[in-house]
Amino acid sequence: NLTTPAQLFHAFRRQMKRDWRKPLVIMSPKSLLRHPQAISELSEFSKGHFQEVMDDASVSAGEVKRVLLCSGKVYYDLNAERATRKRSDVAIVRVEQLYPFPQERIAALFARYSHATSWRWVQEEPRNMGAWSFLQGQWSGAMGERPPGTESRPLLYVGRAMGAAPA
């Protein structure tokens, strides 16, 4: 669920430059092609690289009390709501690559947002769809090594209830 044109470009570029081939699955909706905030500077294409996790540069880490992790276009909805409510104590972090899970980047976020008391995963999909069950397994260590620092910080779910057949 890539959120910027530069991220999409670098995902394609990285896919072609690697010595080994694996299927690349991109779940970004077409609505991001027309979203006014889904833009990239030209320098992000030429000097940038693919970022597995995109941190929130608009907040001061010392003021953050809640960290929202998300993937995809829900970021833009959360960002708009944060601006409407004028909240500076909420960081919105985009997880752009779910697998392999970027444990080192998440561990760095724990160090950066050490004062945060609440960590939440936000998704549009129902609880039994989307990335929640995968992330829950990663966070608890059930699907491999647990990201450092998650022992004392549970990951809470924010989203729709379970659904049998989402529309």
Side-chain angles (χ1 to χ4, degrees):
N1 279 332
L2 308 174
T3 56
T4 67
Q7 282 289 94
L8 183 63
F9 170 79
H10 288 297
F12 286 145
R13 184 175 184 277
R14 183 176 72 165
Q15 181 75 4
M16 295 309 298
K17 298 279 285 170
R18 288 189 167 160
D19 294 333
W20 45 270
R21 294 284 185 255
K22 263 189 173 178
L24 177 64
V25 179
I26 296 179
M27 303 295 289
S28 297
K30 290 189 300 185
S31 64
L32 285 183
L33 294 172
R34 296 176 302 280
H35 198 287
Q37 290 181 335
I39 57 173
S40 297
E41 297 291 327
L42 190 56
S43 63
E44 293 178 65
F45 290 95
S46 59
K47 297 177 183 161
H49 65 282
F50 183 77
Q51 300 175 56
E52 292 88 5
V53 176
M54 296 180 74
D55 196 1
D56 193 342
S58 67
V59 295
S60 172
E63 295 177 15
V64 171
K65 300 290 183 233
R66 177 179 295 162
V67 178
L68 303 178
L69 299 169
C70 65
S71 182
K73 78 177 189 93
V74 72
Y75 163 77
Y76 295 105
D77 299 332
L78 293 171
N79 198 28
E81 187 63 26
R82 177 178 61 182
T84 301
R85 294 183 185 200
K86 298 181 173 118
R87 299 285 302 262
S88 61
D89 62 338
V90 177
I92 305 170
V93 177
R94 295 175 270 184
V95 180
E96 300 273 304
Q97 175 180 301
L98 295 171
Y99 187 86
F101 190 66
Q103 290 187 358
E104 296 82 25
R105 293 293 314 259
I106 298 295
L109 289 174
F110 279 115
R112 177 171 156 77
Y113 299 118
S114 59
H115 299 314
T117 57
S118 175
W119 289 73
R120 298 168 188 225
W121 173 257
V122 182
Q123 69 180 30
E124 288 182 305
E125 300 86 3
R127 188 179 188 115
N128 57 330
M129 307 290 176
W132 169 245
S133 57
F134 173 75
L135 281 171
Q136 192 177 24
Q138 290 291 330
W139 212 265
S140 67
M143 299 175 79
E145 203 173 305
R146 182 182 191 132
T150 59
E151 302 83 14
S152 61
R153 297 178 185 150
L155 184 65
L156 304 174
Y157 172 78
V158 177
R160 298 177 185 172
M162 289 188 184

